[in-house]
Structures are given as structure tokens and as C-alpha cells.
Amino acid sequence: MGRDVPALVFTREDRRRYREKMHTDLEVLAHMLSESGFESERPRVGLEIELNLVDDHGLPAMRNTDVLRAIADPAWASELGRFNLEINIPPRELTTGGPGDWERAIRDALNHAEDRASAVGAHLIMVGILPTLGESDVSEAALSGDPRYRLLNEQIFAARGEDLRITVDGVERLATYADTITPEAACTSTQFHLQVAPRDFPLYWNAAQAIAGVQIALAANSPFLFGKELWRETRIPLFEQATDTRPEEIKAQGVRPRVWFGERWITSVFDLFEENVRYFPALLPLCEDEDPQRELDNGRVPRLGELTLHNGTIYRWNRPVYAVTDSGPHLRIENRVLPAGPTVADIIANGAFYYGLTRALVDEDRPVWTRMSFSVAEENLHTAARDGIDARLYWPGVGEVPVTELVLRRLLPLAHRGLELAGLDAAWREPLLGIIEQRCVTARNGALWQTETVHHLEQAGVSDRREALRQMTRTYMDYMHMNAPAHTWPVD
């Protein structure tokens, strides 16, 4: 939900009109899909990175307004919490530039922002959950000043009717309540975008769903929340709970959650938008002036404002996106499962693995989603979030195996083949996928480094967990700026 919205009160009439407009948008989308008038000749990839802000001591800095003003770049935007920012990296074709070109562009943008942020007393850190974040840091006062966040907060709690209960049973146990959605701001992610033709969309979406657990296991980077060691990727259960509009009684009735893996493989992108309208009431029923049918009849491209706004308030781990640019309408998959960080090198390696593996799986004669139940794919996601790189996941043909073995023996060769099909030769592939390979060989990633470092500090005499987390966070930032992949980071 990236657009600005006014602060207002919604009426029953607003909700009725919005529902009607969404159904009209759906009908227009169905017609557009049948005509195949979508941009797909030059498919592009994109990237968003959410970051945290800290002070010189590694503690949360509620300074996003000041930092955005200092950066003064439209690629940067606020996020839910005052300690969050987001950068939108310009979309590009996967083969644009030479090996390392995308990584250099991202590092240049982040280094420029860090220089500007440091001038106002803040620093950027890419991590799934900021380890030094405390419960007192996610009060209502921590919501960003943009009216859309307060409006979203009001609507979620109006639908829910009671405080949020957040419970995570991991290495340690967290049980708390929240009276705002600000705990969601603790979840900072890397989001890979992949533009695809309408006919190919269900294939790529199904492939992305099938590998979501593998992605999380390899890249887990969120082991701490509010001072507790929980899951290796605690961001997953936290995000699922922090935006839940359902009180317990509604959950018991089987109503779907707004943070949603889904419940079936699809045959068309229309399936996802139709499910969104059918299952989920509007949180922000803001109607546009556009008449989408008239726009289409007059040869113009409708923006389907109600449908896209509604889609932005349903948090699928692989979200469908309809957008209109100067070159026309397009569809893309927004892959939302991965945490931010630890380094740009790690992020680009994760992207290469994702793009290559989905491409290869789509080209298989007997696709993986025809041999794997959807519920198993969802179970893989939660197992991976809990256990990280030590997870054992199910894969057709091999059964339940360590994720490192699965990747090294089966999936990494497929990722190489997929990138080769996309036009990336060995000089491109080897450095990127080599990071994934070594992550599996060493069985080390960001989450493991964080927990081992905190344990090492505690064994060395740092008796206060908060201080151990603070020291670890400062060291993390030093290694992050060196841009050496996290599996190479020493614990000392």
C-alpha cells in the first residue's frame, strides 16, 4: 500500500461503492487478460529493500523524516515505523550491464544514503528484525507521520476489535500484546520483482510458492525480537500476527488471514485478484474517479485503482502486481519472503538464486507443483522460518532432506541452468550462485552469525542480553559495510 491516503472516516456507502468498483475492476482485468495487451517483450526485474535506522550506539533511531529530507531522493520513502526507510531500486532487464553492475548500483545508492543519514545522527542497517528493538520502541508514537499508516492502523483495529496477541515459541518464548500495528514495522524485507507475461504468470507464481521455504532457510536473518531468541526467521510469524484483523472467534471459523500464503496452485493471475475480492473486506475503501470500463472502451489503459489498493492490503508472500507505466500495463510477481540483508552481496546472490530457479522450474516437463501438495509448500515455509539453514524440507523425488543437501544436489544446478536460459553466462553466474553454494557448504547465514555472536558475548561475560545485542548489532554493521557475504563473518 504505497499511495498517500487522506485521514477520514469511512461510511457504509463508501464500502458498498468500493465493493462495486472492485467487481468492475475485476471484469475489466478479465477482459484485458483475454486480449493479452500487456507489456512482456522486455521483461524486467526490480528490487525494494526495507532498512532500519539506528543511532551511533546501534539503538533504534526514530528519525526517518529527518533522514529522508537529508537524502532528498525520490527512490527513498518512509515505511510504517519512524525507524524504517525503503529504497526502490530502478527496474532493469536481468542482463543489463556486466557482472556486478546491479550490485554496484545498489551499493552506491545505499552508501550515498548512509553518508546523508550520518550527517543527521542516524545510520542504515539491513537486517530482518533490528536486534536492539524493544517493546517500548513499537508504541503508537513510533508510527510514521504519513496519514496512510495511522489510517491503516485504525482500520485494522476496528476490524479486529481487540489488542493484538503476539506469541512466538522458539529457543525462548515471547508472549505479549500490542495496541497498534507498529510491531509490523519490526519486519524489514527484501522484495524481488519479476515481470512476466499473463500466460506465464501462474507458472512463475507456482514456482515461487514452491521454493519459498528454501529461500527462507538459506537467507534467514531475524533470530531476535524484543530481546528474545526465537525463530531463525522470526519475521515470518511476527508479520503474520501483527497485521491480523481476526479475533480468535473469527479465526476459529476459518476466515483467511490477510498475511497469507494462499491455499492452492493457480491457473491464472486472475485467480489471485478474484480471491482477494471474494475473501477480504476492504480496509481502505477509497474510490477513484476513473471509470475503468470507459477507459478501456476509449482505447486507454485503466489503472484499476480500487483493485490495486485492495491488493496492497493483502500481504501474500508472493503478491501479484498490476501496474501501468508509460510503456503500458504489466504484471509482475512481488517475492516478499526474504529478510533484508545481511549485505548487498548476499541480497544479489539471493536474487540470482530466485530468478534462476524459478526460470528452470517453469521449463520442466513435469513442474514441481504438480508433484507437491500446496499444504506441504506452506509447511516448508514455516519449518524453514523456525529452523533456518538447519531445516529439513520436503521436495518431490527426494522426500524430507536437509535444505543444504537439497540445494547443493538438486536446486543449485537448476538455478545455474535457469540463469543460463535467461542469458547469463558463467562469468555472471559463478560469483552469485557461489555465495549460495558456500552458504550451504558452511551451513552458515545471517541468523546463525547473530545468535552465535550473542552467545559468545554472553559467555565472555556480557551478562545483560540487551548489551550483548547492542554490541552484536554494531559489529554486524561493520561487516555489512565490508560487503563480505555473511557466511564468511567470524564470531569473535
PDB file of all heavy atoms in Angstrom, residues 224-238:
ATOM      1  N   PHE A 224      16.141 -12.585  16.565  1.00  0.00           N
ATOM      2  CA  PHE A 224      15.834 -11.925  17.840  1.00  0.00           C
ATOM      3  C   PHE A 224      14.670 -10.960  17.688  1.00  0.00           C
ATOM      4  O   PHE A 224      14.541 -10.266  16.673  1.00  0.00           O
ATOM      5  CB  PHE A 224      17.055 -11.158  18.358  1.00  0.00           C
ATOM      6  CG  PHE A 224      18.205 -12.029  18.760  1.00  0.00           C
ATOM      7  CD1 PHE A 224      19.291 -12.195  17.917  1.00  0.00           C
ATOM      8  CD2 PHE A 224      18.202 -12.692  19.982  1.00  0.00           C
ATOM      9  CE1 PHE A 224      20.363 -13.005  18.276  1.00  0.00           C
ATOM     10  CE2 PHE A 224      19.264 -13.507  20.356  1.00  0.00           C
ATOM     11  CZ  PHE A 224      20.344 -13.663  19.501  1.00  0.00           C
ATOM     12  N   LEU A 225      13.826 -10.924  18.709  1.00  0.00           N
ATOM     13  CA  LEU A 225      12.744  -9.942  18.780  1.00  0.00           C
ATOM     14  C   LEU A 225      12.526  -9.570  20.238  1.00  0.00           C
ATOM     15  O   LEU A 225      12.336 -10.464  21.088  1.00  0.00           O
ATOM     16  CB  LEU A 225      11.453 -10.511  18.175  1.00  0.00           C
ATOM     17  CG  LEU A 225      10.208  -9.627  18.324  1.00  0.00           C
ATOM     18  CD1 LEU A 225      10.389  -8.307  17.574  1.00  0.00           C
ATOM     19  CD2 LEU A 225       8.956 -10.363  17.826  1.00  0.00           C
ATOM     20  N   PHE A 226      12.565  -8.274  20.512  1.00  0.00           N
ATOM     21  CA  PHE A 226      12.339  -7.757  21.867  1.00  0.00           C
ATOM     22  C   PHE A 226      13.244  -8.448  22.898  1.00  0.00           C
ATOM     23  O   PHE A 226      12.830  -8.770  24.006  1.00  0.00           O
ATOM     24  CB  PHE A 226      10.879  -7.909  22.266  1.00  0.00           C
ATOM     25  CG  PHE A 226       9.901  -7.217  21.358  1.00  0.00           C
ATOM     26  CD1 PHE A 226       8.594  -7.656  21.259  1.00  0.00           C
ATOM     27  CD2 PHE A 226      10.288  -6.109  20.602  1.00  0.00           C
ATOM     28  CE1 PHE A 226       7.680  -7.020  20.427  1.00  0.00           C
ATOM     29  CE2 PHE A 226       9.378  -5.463  19.761  1.00  0.00           C
ATOM     30  CZ  PHE A 226       8.071  -5.921  19.673  1.00  0.00           C
ATOM     31  N   GLY A 227      14.484  -8.721  22.492  1.00  0.00           N
ATOM     32  CA  GLY A 227      15.457  -9.307  23.401  1.00  0.00           C
ATOM     33  C   GLY A 227      15.402 -10.810  23.527  1.00  0.00           C
ATOM     34  O   GLY A 227      16.235 -11.410  24.218  1.00  0.00           O
ATOM     35  N   LYS A 228      14.464 -11.466  22.830  1.00  0.00           N
ATOM     36  CA  LYS A 228      14.305 -12.919  22.915  1.00  0.00           C
ATOM     37  C   LYS A 228      14.866 -13.596  21.666  1.00  0.00           C
ATOM     38  O   LYS A 228      14.693 -13.112  20.545  1.00  0.00           O
ATOM     39  CB  LYS A 228      12.826 -13.289  23.040  1.00  0.00           C
ATOM     40  CG  LYS A 228      12.091 -12.648  24.217  1.00  0.00           C
ATOM     41  CD  LYS A 228      12.360 -13.390  25.493  1.00  0.00           C
ATOM     42  CE  LYS A 228      11.442 -12.902  26.613  1.00  0.00           C
ATOM     43  NZ  LYS A 228      11.684 -13.625  27.878  1.00  0.00           N
ATOM     44  N   GLU A 229      15.529 -14.740  21.866  1.00  0.00           N
ATOM     45  CA  GLU A 229      15.937 -15.573  20.742  1.00  0.00           C
ATOM     46  C   GLU A 229      14.784 -16.500  20.403  1.00  0.00           C
ATOM     47  O   GLU A 229      14.380 -17.333  21.217  1.00  0.00           O
ATOM     48  CB  GLU A 229      17.186 -16.387  21.089  1.00  0.00           C
ATOM     49  CG  GLU A 229      17.677 -17.233  19.922  1.00  0.00           C
ATOM     50  CD  GLU A 229      18.893 -18.069  20.256  1.00  0.00           C
ATOM     51  OE1 GLU A 229      19.511 -17.856  21.320  1.00  0.00           O
ATOM     52  OE2 GLU A 229      19.222 -18.967  19.443  1.00  0.00           O
ATOM     53  N   LEU A 230      14.262 -16.365  19.186  1.00  0.00           N
ATOM     54  CA  LEU A 230      13.026 -17.073  18.830  1.00  0.00           C
ATOM     55  C   LEU A 230      13.258 -17.988  17.625  1.00  0.00           C
ATOM     56  O   LEU A 230      14.037 -18.923  17.702  1.00  0.00           O
ATOM     57  CB  LEU A 230      11.918 -16.043  18.583  1.00  0.00           C
ATOM     58  CG  LEU A 230      11.629 -15.130  19.804  1.00  0.00           C
ATOM     59  CD1 LEU A 230      10.721 -13.978  19.425  1.00  0.00           C
ATOM     60  CD2 LEU A 230      11.043 -15.934  20.945  1.00  0.00           C
ATOM     61  N   TRP A 231      12.630 -17.717  16.503  1.00  0.00           N
ATOM     62  CA  TRP A 231      12.860 -18.490  15.289  1.00  0.00           C
ATOM     63  C   TRP A 231      14.060 -17.900  14.548  1.00  0.00           C
ATOM     64  O   TRP A 231      14.455 -16.766  14.774  1.00  0.00           O
ATOM     65  CB  TRP A 231      11.633 -18.442  14.387  1.00  0.00           C
ATOM     66  CG  TRP A 231      10.448 -19.224  14.889  1.00  0.00           C
ATOM     67  CD1 TRP A 231      10.246 -19.687  16.154  1.00  0.00           C
ATOM     68  CD2 TRP A 231       9.306 -19.595  14.121  1.00  0.00           C
ATOM     69  NE1 TRP A 231       9.039 -20.341  16.229  1.00  0.00           N
ATOM     70  CE2 TRP A 231       8.436 -20.296  14.996  1.00  0.00           C
ATOM     71  CE3 TRP A 231       8.907 -19.420  12.798  1.00  0.00           C
ATOM     72  CZ2 TRP A 231       7.216 -20.817  14.576  1.00  0.00           C
ATOM     73  CZ3 TRP A 231       7.699 -19.925  12.378  1.00  0.00           C
ATOM     74  CH2 TRP A 231       6.852 -20.633  13.247  1.00  0.00           C
ATOM     75  N   ARG A 232      14.619 -18.677  13.628  1.00  0.00           N
ATOM     76  CA  ARG A 232      15.710 -18.146  12.810  1.00  0.00           C
ATOM     77  C   ARG A 232      15.204 -17.017  11.905  1.00  0.00           C
ATOM     78  O   ARG A 232      15.927 -16.083  11.612  1.00  0.00           O
ATOM     79  CB  ARG A 232      16.341 -19.257  11.958  1.00  0.00           C
ATOM     80  CG  ARG A 232      17.140 -20.275  12.777  1.00  0.00           C
ATOM     81  CD  ARG A 232      18.236 -19.587  13.571  1.00  0.00           C
ATOM     82  NE  ARG A 232      19.168 -20.523  14.173  1.00  0.00           N
ATOM     83  CZ  ARG A 232      19.427 -20.584  15.470  1.00  0.00           C
ATOM     84  NH1 ARG A 232      18.785 -19.775  16.316  1.00  0.00           N
ATOM     85  NH2 ARG A 232      20.314 -21.438  15.944  1.00  0.00           N
ATOM     86  N   GLU A 233      13.976 -17.104  11.458  1.00  0.00           N
ATOM     87  CA  GLU A 233      13.351 -16.021  10.690  1.00  0.00           C
ATOM     88  C   GLU A 233      12.048 -15.639  11.385  1.00  0.00           C
ATOM     89  O   GLU A 233      10.949 -15.927  10.903  1.00  0.00           O
ATOM     90  CB  GLU A 233      13.119 -16.430   9.230  1.00  0.00           C
ATOM     91  CG  GLU A 233      12.685 -15.301   8.308  1.00  0.00           C
ATOM     92  CD  GLU A 233      13.573 -14.067   8.403  1.00  0.00           C
ATOM     93  OE1 GLU A 233      14.801 -14.184   8.571  1.00  0.00           O
ATOM     94  OE2 GLU A 233      13.018 -12.963   8.315  1.00  0.00           O
ATOM     95  N   THR A 234      12.197 -14.999  12.540  1.00  0.00           N
ATOM     96  CA  THR A 234      11.059 -14.605  13.375  1.00  0.00           C
ATOM     97  C   THR A 234      10.157 -13.630  12.644  1.00  0.00           C
ATOM     98  O   THR A 234       8.971 -13.483  12.987  1.00  0.00           O
ATOM     99  CB  THR A 234      11.582 -13.974  14.683  1.00  0.00           C
ATOM    100  OG1 THR A 234      12.481 -14.900  15.314  1.00  0.00           O
ATOM    101  CG2 THR A 234      10.456 -13.634  15.628  1.00  0.00           C
ATOM    102  N   ARG A 235      10.681 -12.965  11.639  1.00  0.00           N
ATOM    103  CA  ARG A 235       9.888 -12.033  10.841  1.00  0.00           C
ATOM    104  C   ARG A 235       8.621 -12.679  10.280  1.00  0.00           C
ATOM    105  O   ARG A 235       7.578 -12.027  10.164  1.00  0.00           O
ATOM    106  CB  ARG A 235      10.769 -11.526   9.686  1.00  0.00           C
ATOM    107  CG  ARG A 235      10.260 -10.324   8.956  1.00  0.00           C
ATOM    108  CD  ARG A 235      11.224  -9.976   7.827  1.00  0.00           C
ATOM    109  NE  ARG A 235      10.556 -10.145   6.553  1.00  0.00           N
ATOM    110  CZ  ARG A 235      10.643 -11.218   5.798  1.00  0.00           C
ATOM    111  NH1 ARG A 235      11.391 -12.243   6.164  1.00  0.00           N
ATOM    112  NH2 ARG A 235       9.986 -11.288   4.663  1.00  0.00           N
ATOM    113  N   ILE A 236       8.675 -13.964   9.966  1.00  0.00           N
ATOM    114  CA  ILE A 236       7.510 -14.631   9.371  1.00  0.00           C
ATOM    115  C   ILE A 236       6.341 -14.706  10.362  1.00  0.00           C
ATOM    116  O   ILE A 236       5.250 -14.190  10.069  1.00  0.00           O
ATOM    117  CB  ILE A 236       7.889 -16.028   8.837  1.00  0.00           C
ATOM    118  CG1 ILE A 236       8.951 -15.922   7.733  1.00  0.00           C
ATOM    119  CG2 ILE A 236       6.652 -16.769   8.330  1.00  0.00           C
ATOM    120  CD1 ILE A 236       8.521 -15.177   6.493  1.00  0.00           C
ATOM    121  N   PRO A 237       6.490 -15.325  11.539  1.00  0.00           N
ATOM    122  CA  PRO A 237       5.348 -15.363  12.454  1.00  0.00           C
ATOM    123  C   PRO A 237       4.966 -13.980  12.982  1.00  0.00           C
ATOM    124  O   PRO A 237       3.781 -13.727  13.247  1.00  0.00           O
ATOM    125  CB  PRO A 237       5.807 -16.285  13.581  1.00  0.00           C
ATOM    126  CG  PRO A 237       7.297 -16.244  13.541  1.00  0.00           C
ATOM    127  CD  PRO A 237       7.638 -16.096  12.089  1.00  0.00           C
ATOM    128  N   LEU A 238       5.938 -13.090  13.147  1.00  0.00           N
ATOM    129  CA  LEU A 238       5.601 -11.753  13.630  1.00  0.00           C
ATOM    130  C   LEU A 238       4.723 -11.024  12.626  1.00  0.00           C
ATOM    131  O   LEU A 238       3.700 -10.427  12.997  1.00  0.00           O
ATOM    132  CB  LEU A 238       6.876 -10.952  13.891  1.00  0.00           C
ATOM    133  CG  LEU A 238       6.650  -9.490  14.283  1.00  0.00           C
ATOM    134  CD1 LEU A 238       5.835  -9.380  15.560  1.00  0.00           C
ATOM    135  CD2 LEU A 238       7.984  -8.752  14.426  1.00  0.00           C
TER     136      LEU A 238
END
